[in-house]
Amino acid sequence: MSLNSNEIFSRLLELYETQKMNELSTLLGYKESWGAATRKRGGIPYEACVNAAEKFNVSMDYLLFGNDEEELSLGKNVNKLKQSITDGVFKAIQKGVITPAEEVSISEITQTILNEMDLNVFMDIMIMKRK
């Protein structure tokens, strides 16, 4: 197996749901020109892959080598779950169902909920749903 910068960037673009390298660069926290320059010189964006693996719950093996196409779909579903929880927490706060302490953010509440969830069970359900 060999690493291919173009393929790695294609997978990152797909995960971040954009087709523009400058937008991907910004989403990853870099200058707009970072992605195009890195890809042009054949650089492997290891740090960006680590961040994407954590954010989208996909493996480095998928990001670097493209193994396991099903993993991409599962990662996107986990990300949608996280967004759904965040939206639900926000609505619950708006309706007065929950009142967080002043120093507690919505993202901290979401992360606490996610930490208590078994994402492997969620992923198993998603796999069973596809069959």
Side-chain angles (χ1 to χ4, degrees):
M1 282 184 190
S2 64
L3 297 175
N4 182 312
S5 182
N6 287 329
E7 291 175 4
I8 293 168
F9 274 102
S10 292
R11 286 187 281 279
L12 288 171
L13 287 164
E14 188 172 354
L15 275 174
Y16 282 91
E17 297 180 346
T18 184
Q19 295 177 359
K20 299 178 181 180
M21 288 300 291
N22 61 344
E23 187 176 328
L24 175 66
S25 298
T26 302
L27 289 169
L28 290 167
Y30 298 104
K31 293 180 182 178
E32 284 189 7
S33 60
W34 170 83
T38 302
R39 184 169 65 176
K40 184 176 181 180
R41 72 175 196 288
I44 306 299
Y46 290 107
E47 185 178 347
C49 288
V50 169
N51 293 335
E54 289 176 347
K55 180 175 181 160
F56 294 103
N57 199 35
V58 297
S59 71
M60 289 293 288
D61 192 46
Y62 167 73
L63 288 168
L64 295 175
F65 301 107
N67 297 340
D68 199 359
E69 189 67 28
E70 186 174 282
E71 190 168 341
L72 173 62
S73 177
L74 291 174
K76 284 185 177 181
N77 284 323
V78 169
N79 202 43
K80 286 179 184 177
L81 173 65
K82 289 177 184 178
Q83 185 60 51
S84 178
I85 291 169
T86 300
D87 292 346
V89 169
F90 181 75
K91 286 178 185 173
I93 291 170
Q94 279 185 318
K95 291 182 178 185
V97 175
I98 60 174
T99 306
E102 270 186 51
E103 65 277 358
V104 177
S105 68
I106 291 174
S107 61
E108 289 174 304
I109 297 169
T110 299
Q111 193 58 51
T112 301
I113 293 168
L114 288 168
N115 290 344
E116 293 300 318
M117 294 178 68
D118 185 347
L119 291 181
N120 290 325
V121 171
F122 172 75
M123 292 174 79
D124 288 345
I125 290 168
M126 294 308 298
I127 290 169
M128 289 176 14
K129 181 179 169 184
R130 299 170 104 195
K131 292 181 180 182

